[in-house]
Amino acid sequence: MIHAAKLRTALAGLVAVAATSVSAQVYLSENFDAETSESLVAKGWDLGKNEFALEEGTDFHVAPPYLRSEPGGDFVNADGAVYLFPPTADGTQSTGRYLLSDSDAGGGSDNIGSMSEFWATTPSFNTTGSKEAWVHVDAEIDNNNNGECVVDFAVSVDAGKTWLPVWQTAEPQRPIKGYNYYLNNDPNYEGGAATGGYPVLGSASQTKSWSGLHGRVHLKLPAEANNKPDVRFRVRYFEPADAWWIALDNLVIDNNAAPMGTDVVLTEDFKAGIPATWKNTPTMTQKWGTEPLKGASGWLKQSSQLGGPLNVDLLKAVAEYRPLYDVSDEAMKRMSNADFEAFPDLVEFFHPNAMIDGRFLMMLAGGDYALWQEGLSIEESANLDTPSLDLSGATGVFLDFDSEWLHGNASSMYEVYVSVDGGANFSRILTYQEALSDRTEASYFMHHYLEVPAAAGAANVIFRFHTQGGDPDQFEGFWAIDNVRVTANKGGSPATLSAKRQGAAISVAWDGGGTLESATSITGPWSAVAGATSPHSITPSGAGMFLRVRR
């Protein structure tokens, strides 16, 4: 790390991380820190809305300052200050400024059927020569458990005339609200049309979801966006209906895939349960399991309509009540107006907002996973540890996994740790409690990709999924993980970085070629240092800087 304040007296330490990969071609990068809404528009961004948009204050803007008020998140720091910024790769909040649309703070409600749209569209960028392009962004998209809006990412290759979906989410109440609007207002209205059909429950889709996003997101753009001279990326609220918010930061579009190693070290899909080689340790009674945990009276979940304990997994809940009610599997997948008409029980019980007001496990529902559910005592906690992994030959280490979670109580905490000494000591690499977020709304779902520099070269590495807290008398909170994978780069030797002081600057040199990248956190986001060749002179600024060579 380079500390600017110490340069007059000593050369501060330099953290260098090397990974073998193809150098990134960056097509667009924006961290919003030096921008205002006006300057962003001057750079070619379109922060717009259509003629049907009536909510006041939902407009996309660079924050802070805020159009109406600060986002009303539920998580606070040790001093009681609310976290206001979206999460970075390790879950801690970003810094500086960011892009925000806050429907919750806005006045009014552009409900289903309004055709209201608010959007933020990037300037045109050029992907000529690319075989694939990716978007990487720190994102907090909070889905309302009883909301009806659509949020989407999309790209255009024809100057904004048409748009291709990249990622979409629909809030859980949209199917039933859309059906009611069809019945009472417009016989041609289909609520799922805005997303080309609703997300499929239990699909674990990374591109069409019932859930929000919280973390650094990596999404591959459609093939149509490759090798094009005029590409635009857009984020949009459609019929926001007094939703929560969209908060984005550190946007990068390049030709680098999500961070992963070339060699697979560990994979686990929990199809055979939690393996005996994994250590599953509770402090009281609540272990990780492969189904929702049970209390004395049944499933630890309350039902608002069926009158008894209910499985937190939506599809498993449906299966339990299926003998008593009539609804087909295909109707559950589509939830079109025709399906609602054909199956009245779908209207009453089985759409995503039914029974428990949208607070279900939805995207991993019906499958195999490891799950921890908040139980009776706020003193509960549990650790799920991988087997020890020998990564002594690795020059880069990465952890990725599916994650769906919902905080039900202020006591709950979900985090990921790594140990490089066989479990004697652990360091946190991901948290869900230190950035803008809400409790007791619809779940979040995404695939996390974590670069873990501390594990490279270590012979006794353990990853830990840590939970704690309880949700007495509600049992709404849960955390489910699946498709856990550890990968590594083992070929070749890492690049060597050296640094020496030159007055107020630092001269950085490295061997073997590659691209010099910088970040303000060891977990990124990383960006290429423009025009840097070895040696390269840098004048540090801010609290700290991390450098690595990527090749």
Side-chain angles (χ1 to χ4, degrees):
M1 183 182 290
I2 301 173
H3 293 279
K6 297 181 180 179
L7 289 176
R8 293 182 179 85
T9 57
L11 177 64
L14 176 67
V15 175
V17 181
T20 56
S21 69
V22 178
S23 298
Q25 178 67 47
V26 178
Y27 308 123
L28 183 139
S29 179
E30 182 57 69
N31 66 13
F32 305 103
D33 289 347
E35 305 302 332
T36 63
S37 299
E38 293 75 18
S39 68
L40 201 65
V41 170
K43 290 173 65 172
W45 283 71
D46 178 15
L47 307 181
K49 56 187 175 182
N50 66 7
E51 67 271 28
F52 307 112
L54 301 178
E55 288 188 8
E56 298 177 0
T58 302
D59 307 65
F60 280 91
H61 61 287
V62 177
Y66 302 95
L67 288 184
R68 292 174 68 94
S69 61
E70 295 176 346
D74 284 337
F75 293 87
V76 299
N77 64 18
D79 298 322
V82 176
Y83 290 112
L84 298 173
F85 294 77
T88 58
D90 67 0
T92 60
Q93 68 176 356
S94 67
T95 59
R97 291 177 173 168
Y98 63 99
L99 184 67
L100 176 67
S101 173
D102 190 347
S103 178
D104 178 53
S109 182
D110 292 348
N111 295 337
I112 199 162
S114 67
M115 305 301 290
S116 167
E117 295 183 71
F118 295 83
W119 64 78
T121 304
T122 69
S124 172
F125 54 91
N126 188 342
T127 65
T128 299
S130 71
K131 294 183 179 179
E132 61 181 46
W134 287 71
V135 58
H136 317 273
V137 64
D138 298 337
E140 159 60 20
I141 297 176
D142 190 4
N143 272 14
N144 192 340
N145 65 293
N146 54 13
E148 61 206 57
C149 82
V150 165
V151 177
D152 60 22
F153 298 158
V155 292
S156 174
V157 295
D158 58 8
K161 296 182 180 68
T162 60
W163 293 92
L164 301 167
V166 176
W167 176 86
Q168 304 164 303
T169 185
E171 291 183 326
Q173 201 175 66
R174 187 169 181 85
I176 191 64
K177 280 288 189 72
Y179 176 59
N180 288 334
Y181 191 84
Y182 153 80
L183 289 178
N184 300 315
N185 301 91
D186 183 355
N188 296 312
Y189 189 84
E190 184 72 65
T195 51
Y198 284 117
V200 176
L201 291 162
S203 66
S205 172
Q206 302 298 323
T207 58
K208 187 181 287 190
S209 179
W210 290 109
S211 305
L213 294 174
H214 183 89
R216 186 151 185 85
V217 181
H218 308 273
L219 296 166
K220 189 176 180 178
L221 299 187
E224 293 87 341
N226 298 334
N227 197 32
K228 293 294 192 303
D230 180 8
V231 185
R232 291 168 170 83
F233 177 80
R234 183 190 71 182
V235 55
R236 178 183 67 147
Y237 255 139
F238 180 72
E239 299 177 340
D242 192 22
W244 288 106
W245 49 67
I246 301 169
L248 304 178
D249 204 357
N250 298 311
L251 171 69
V252 176
I253 300 175
D254 61 20
N255 64 345
N256 263 359
M260 287 180 57
T262 55
D263 298 334
V264 177
V265 179
L266 172 76
T267 61
E268 184 52 59
D269 59 13
F270 304 105
K271 290 188 184 301
I274 295 177
T277 55
W278 287 54
K279 189 177 180 181
N280 189 0
T281 310
T283 57
M284 295 176 65
T285 61
Q286 296 283 75
K287 284 187 174 184
W288 284 78
T290 52
E291 61 178 16
L293 303 178
K294 293 182 179 180
S297 60
W299 299 110
L300 287 179
K301 190 68 194 179
Q302 298 302 306
S303 167
S304 61
Q305 292 193 43
L306 297 180
L310 187 71
N311 197 324
V312 72
D313 180 319
L314 178 53
L315 292 183
K316 292 180 181 178
V318 169
E320 290 170 14
Y321 284 94
R322 179 72 55 81
L324 303 177
Y325 301 96
D326 180 26
V327 61
S328 74
D329 290 337
E330 290 304 311
M332 285 292 298
K333 290 179 180 179
R334 291 185 304 256
M335 286 180 286
S336 67
N337 293 333
D339 292 314
F340 280 110
E341 289 183 334
F343 299 99
D345 289 333
L346 180 61
V347 177
E348 187 172 2
F349 296 121
F350 292 146
H351 61 81
N353 187 242
M355 296 193 279
I356 55 171
D357 203 19
R359 298 184 179 100
F360 274 112
L361 179 73
M362 293 184 287
M363 296 311 297
L364 293 178
D368 302 298
Y369 43 71
L371 177 133
W372 192 84
Q373 192 171 349
E374 297 169 10
L376 286 168
S377 173
I378 63 172
E379 303 299 324
E380 290 279 7
S381 69
N383 294 320
L384 183 62
D385 295 352
T386 68
S388 175
L389 306 173
D390 184 357
L391 299 171
S392 56
T395 58
V397 175
F398 307 83
L399 171 69
D400 68 285
F401 59 97
D402 286 335
S403 181
E404 185 170 358
W405 72 100
L406 188 156
H407 285 93
N409 183 276
S411 66
S412 64
M413 181 180 295
Y414 311 144
E415 296 183 322
V416 183
Y417 289 78
V418 66
S419 171
V420 297
D421 56 11
N425 299 280
F426 282 88
S427 300
R428 194 184 70 185
I429 57 175
L430 177 67
T431 180
Y432 291 136
Q433 291 78 227
E434 294 186 17
L436 176 63
S437 184
D438 255 350
R439 295 187 187 93
T440 64
E441 295 298 328
S443 65
Y444 292 96
F445 173 72
M446 60 180 289
H447 194 88
H448 288 285
Y449 297 88
L450 304 177
E451 189 169 0
V452 192
N460 197 356
V461 177
I462 296 172
F463 292 96
R464 167 171 289 177
F465 297 88
H466 171 73
T467 61
Q468 67 183 63
D471 195 15
D473 301 321
Q474 296 295 323
F475 312 116
E476 290 175 339
F478 60 83
W479 184 19
I481 61 172
D482 198 5
N483 299 312
V484 177
R485 178 171 50 185
V486 178
T487 59
N489 292 323
K490 295 183 178 180
S493 59
T496 300
L497 280 173
S498 62
K500 61 182 179 180
R501 187 175 59 189
Q502 290 184 336
I506 295 291
S507 178
V508 182
W510 62 96
D511 58 2
T515 300
L516 183 66
E517 296 183 336
S518 67
T520 57
S521 167
I522 190 66
T523 58
W526 295 87
S527 58
V529 179
T533 58
S534 180
H536 182 74
S537 180
I538 292 178
T539 300
S541 62
M545 179 184 293
F546 293 84
L547 299 172
R548 72 179 182 186
V549 170
R550 191 174 184 93
R551 66 186 186 190

